């Protein structure tokens, strides 16, 4: 990249950082330090504001950088991510949003603990929530590293290391100073910026092909080197039975994982009522749906105008397809238009990463303080404020995410998010649905459902080609690959549901019918909701 690209992109990014830090500073001066203020922003946001914030939270680096990259490299098979991310919202809208808002206060564990023995359930759910959040954070860190390497024209580790550290430091500042209110406004600003940038790029791609989608797709297929196979299923996931099972496994994880993501569930506590939570989900579905439809155009546009080989040369996982596309749409590397458009896209991507990591860090630090600390604290010891513990936890989670992000920097960000979705679908969704809908569910069933999905999901990833046994794995020099699929969802999601059922039917504890009735009435009517 030329000096002009670097300077303009850094100026735009610095402007976004300055605005978001100003928001955080303003909010920190006007907060009163309560748990409700820190975790839920005082429950003062409107459905439209929260819908934009959810869209900002959900449309991550995986969506803006990873998905178009996968489509540019693998055509039709890359579109699976778009379908999975979108269909997952139907689970959220019809099964989760309103019921979770009525039953909980701040975290997933609140919903489950309403009718169970509190301590073991909070420890299990809190552990799972933190694990999912850290996996999701790693994807954002990888996106940040890929972007700065392209922006600065450097492929060395030093540029990526300092970028990841800088993003981690900023996310800790956002969360520890501003809490949910600052994080929400940052996400709203980011959603507007992201949607605006995506609309502009989509219009330019369609204008290049005079609005002819057929011509766009045919050009992409011809440029890909795969011909018509680029527009048909099977390029990435159709080689053999293992690849096809991986396709099913990924789809299952993406569709079911959204309803178990801690940072999405926590957003429904920022509105005053369950009805507002449902309307928030509707707003977010509209915004997210429009965004993902445009990412399809950007992915095929990158394949048609840049070519998969050029994308792969820049970044093997395809994470830089959109910045390269912006450069071409603006007139090329030496043009003023290319410089401006590339800088805008780089700044939007940085904004995306910063806003999403802030939301995830807040959700995971809330789980540490509200669930783990409150349950594991020794009795008789001086109790620290939950908000203070959450701020300390944000620092620790940031350090872990930075370290793992540097380790996984060569993997596609959309693929990494797929792993986080698999863990969420395996560990969080079974216990959530059982708690809301199964009258006989017990404490043992809840604990087994969480660990019965979490442990197999993580264990299968460790034993998969993602970690060892192939040239593209984290540790290519060793081989302890015993599980053939890259995504564990096909095995770990059923195991999570099975473990919850088995724990319940083998439990000596009788189900509390009265608490279930109370939870059912509260979830459906909102009576007694916080």
């Amino acid at each position: 990249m030329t000096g002009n690209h670097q300077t303009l992109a850094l100026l735009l990014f610095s402007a976004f950082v300055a605005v978001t830090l100003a928001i955080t500073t303003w909010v920190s001066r006007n907060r009163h330090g309560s748990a409700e203020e820190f975790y839920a922003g005082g429950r003062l946001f409107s459905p439209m504001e929260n819908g934009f914030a959810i869209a900002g939270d959900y449309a991550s680096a995986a969506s803006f950088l990873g998905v178009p990259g996968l489509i540019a490299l693998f055509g039709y098979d890359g579109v699976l991510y778009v379908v999975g991310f979108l269909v997952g919202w139907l689970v959220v809208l019809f099964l989760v949003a309103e019921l979770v808002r009525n039953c909980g206060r701040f975290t997933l564990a609140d919903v489950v603990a309403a009718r169970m023995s509190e301590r073991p359930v909070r420890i299990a759910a809190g552990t799972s929530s933190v694990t999912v959040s850290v996996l999701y954070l790693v994807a954002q860190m990888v996106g940040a590293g890929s972007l700065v390497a392209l922006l600065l024209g450097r492929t060395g580790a030093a540029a990526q290391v300092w970028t990841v550290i800088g993003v981690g430091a900023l996310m800790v500042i956002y969360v520890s100073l501003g809490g949910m209110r600052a994080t929400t406004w940052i996400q709203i600003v980011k959603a507007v910026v992201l949607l605006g940038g995506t609309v502009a790029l989509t219009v330019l791609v369609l204008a290049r092909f005079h609005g002819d989608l057929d011509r766009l797709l045919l050009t992409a297929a011809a440029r890909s080197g795969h011909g018509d196979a680029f527009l048909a299923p099977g390029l990435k996931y159709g080689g053999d039975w293992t690849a096809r099972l991986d396709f099913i496994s990924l789809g299952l994880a993406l569709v079911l994982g959204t309803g178990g993501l801690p940072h999405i569930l926590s957003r429904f506590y920022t509105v005053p009522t369950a009805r507002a939570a449902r309307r928030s989900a509707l707003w977010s579905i509209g915004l997210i749906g429009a965004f993902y439809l445009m990412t399809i155009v950007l992915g095929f546009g990158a394949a048609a105008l840049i070519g998969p080989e050029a994308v792969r040369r820049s970044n093997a996982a395809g994470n830089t397809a959109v910045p390269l596309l912006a450069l071409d749409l603006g007139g090329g590397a030496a043009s003023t238009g290319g410089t401006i458009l590339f800088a805008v896209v780089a700044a939007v991507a940085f904004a995306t990463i910063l806003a999403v990591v802030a939301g995830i860090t807040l959700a995971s630090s809330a789980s540490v303080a509200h669930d783990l600390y409150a349950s594991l604290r020794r009795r008789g010891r001086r109790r620290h404020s939950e908000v203070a513990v959450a701020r300390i936890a944000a620092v620790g989670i940031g350090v872990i995410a930075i370290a793992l992000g540097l380790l996984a920097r060569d993997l596609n960000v959309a693929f990494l998010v797929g792993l986080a979705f698999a863990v969420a679908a395996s560990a969080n969704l079974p216990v959530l649905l059982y708690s809301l809908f199964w009258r006989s569910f017990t404490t043992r069933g809840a604990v087994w459902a969480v660990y019965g999905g979490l442990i197999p999901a993580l264990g299968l990833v460790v034993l998969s080609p993602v970690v060892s046994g192939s040239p593209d794995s984290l540790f290519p020099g060793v081989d302890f690959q015993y599980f053939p699929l890259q995504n564990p969802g096909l095995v770990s999601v059923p195991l999570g549901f099975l473990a919850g059922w088995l724990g319940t039917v083998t439990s000596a504890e009788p189900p509390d019918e009265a608490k279930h009735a109370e939870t059912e009435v509260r979830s459906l009517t909102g009576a007694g909701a916080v």
Side-chain angles (χ1 to χ4, degrees):
M1 294 299 108
T2 65
N4 289 337
H5 293 91
Q6 295 173 21
T7 304
L8 188 55
L10 290 173
L11 281 173
L12 288 172
F13 174 56
S14 300
F16 181 83
V17 171
V19 169
T20 52
L21 286 175
I23 291 171
T24 305
T25 304
W26 174 74
V27 168
S28 66
R29 288 177 178 173
N30 291 278
R31 60 179 170 80
H32 51 76
S34 69
E36 185 172 281
E37 174 71 25
F38 187 80
Y39 295 143
R43 310 191 201 279
L44 297 174
F45 291 98
S46 70
M48 185 181 77
E49 290 168 344
N50 198 42
F52 269 88
I54 291 172
D57 222 347
Y58 194 68
S60 64
S63 306
F64 188 60
L65 299 176
V67 171
L70 284 173
I71 294 172
L73 296 180
F74 301 108
Y76 183 96
D77 280 9
V79 179
L80 171 68
Y81 282 87
V82 174
V83 176
F85 287 148
L86 277 178
V87 174
W89 273 99
L90 297 178
V91 177
V92 175
L93 178 62
F94 293 116
L95 293 179
V96 173
E98 196 168 340
L99 305 182
V100 164
R101 174 62 188 84
N102 281 336
C103 289
R105 290 184 66 219
F106 305 126
T107 64
L108 164 71
D110 288 335
V111 180
V112 185
R115 50 178 293 217
M116 307 291 173
S117 178
E118 198 162 330
R119 189 171 185 270
V121 165
R122 284 197 181 277
I123 292 171
T127 301
S128 174
S129 294
V130 172
T131 304
V132 172
S133 297
V134 169
L135 283 172
Y136 213 106
L137 278 172
V138 169
Q140 312 310 313
M141 297 300 187
V142 170
S146 299
L147 194 65
V148 83
L150 179 67
L151 176 63
L152 300 179
R154 298 173 185 173
T155 55
Q160 295 191 31
V161 168
W162 284 110
T163 302
V164 169
I165 291 172
V167 170
L170 282 169
M171 80 184 186
V172 170
I173 292 171
Y174 292 147
V175 172
S176 58
L177 289 182
M180 179 59 87
R181 191 170 295 188
T183 301
T184 300
W185 281 112
I186 290 167
Q187 286 158 347
I188 291 170
V189 171
K190 170 254 176 156
V192 173
V193 169
L194 177 65
L195 287 167
T198 309
V199 167
L201 287 178
T202 303
V203 168
L204 288 172
V205 169
L206 293 176
R208 185 72 69 90
F209 293 91
H210 307 290
D212 189 342
L213 288 173
D214 282 347
R215 188 174 157 208
L216 166 63
L217 295 174
L218 292 172
T219 306
R223 188 85 183 264
S224 70
H226 298 286
D228 291 342
F230 192 71
L231 303 178
L235 197 59
K236 180 175 174 61
Y237 294 109
D240 53 25
W241 66 269
T242 304
R244 290 176 185 140
L245 286 176
D246 229 340
F247 181 90
I248 297 169
S249 188
L250 175 62
L252 187 68
L254 295 180
V255 169
L256 297 180
T258 306
L261 293 176
H263 65 291
I264 297 299
L265 295 175
S266 66
R267 291 238 53 92
F268 295 118
Y269 298 125
T270 64
V271 290
T273 64
R275 183 169 179 267
R278 179 178 284 272
R279 289 176 62 199
S280 296
L282 287 171
W283 268 100
S284 60
I285 287 172
L287 295 168
I288 291 166
F291 170 74
Y292 278 116
L293 288 175
M294 290 187 286
T295 62
I296 297 174
V297 176
L298 298 185
F300 283 112
L305 299 174
I306 308 298
E309 286 309 312
V311 171
R312 199 175 273 110
R313 279 197 303 273
S314 172
N315 181 272
N319 295 329
T320 54
V322 172
L324 291 174
L325 175 64
L327 201 60
D328 184 85
L329 291 171
S335 67
T336 303
T339 300
I340 293 172
L341 206 54
F342 174 86
V344 168
V345 167
V348 167
F350 272 126
T352 295
I353 290 164
L354 282 179
V356 172
V357 297
I360 301 167
T361 306
L362 179 59
S364 52
S365 62
S367 290
V368 170
H370 187 61
D371 299 327
L372 296 178
Y373 171 74
S375 301
L376 295 173
R377 181 183 61 89
R378 291 183 181 176
R379 292 184 183 181
R381 286 202 168 188
R382 185 169 69 88
R383 180 173 182 138
H384 297 283
S385 155
E386 266 193 26
V387 174
V389 174
R391 291 194 174 108
I392 295 169
V395 178
I397 288 163
V399 171
I400 294 170
I402 288 168
L404 292 175
L406 293 174
L407 182 66
R409 62 178 175 262
D410 293 327
L411 296 179
N412 182 277
V413 286
F415 168 73
L416 286 170
V417 165
L419 295 182
F421 272 66
V423 178
S426 305
N428 289 351
L429 191 66
V431 72
L432 184 61
L433 294 183
Y434 278 148
S435 298
L436 290 171
F437 299 110
W438 191 12
R439 183 181 300 275
S440 301
F441 199 42
T442 63
T443 300
R444 178 191 277 187
V447 173
W448 283 26
V450 173
Y451 292 129
L454 178 65
I455 294 171
L458 295 177
L460 292 174
V461 168
V462 171
L463 299 176
S464 76
V466 175
V467 176
S468 72
S470 74
D472 299 326
S473 59
L474 286 178
F475 304 107
V478 294
D479 187 0
F480 45 88
Q481 173 197 333
Y482 298 102
F483 180 68
L485 306 184
Q486 291 190 333
N487 192 291
L490 188 62
V491 176
S492 58
V493 172
L495 282 178
F497 281 98
L498 178 63
W501 172 81
L502 193 61
T504 298
V505 298
T506 60
S507 174
E509 168 198 0
D512 193 325
E513 299 281 349
K515 279 192 176 179
H516 173 266
E518 180 184 333
T519 302
E520 189 173 40
V521 170
R522 182 172 165 184
S523 67
L524 295 174
T525 67
V530 177

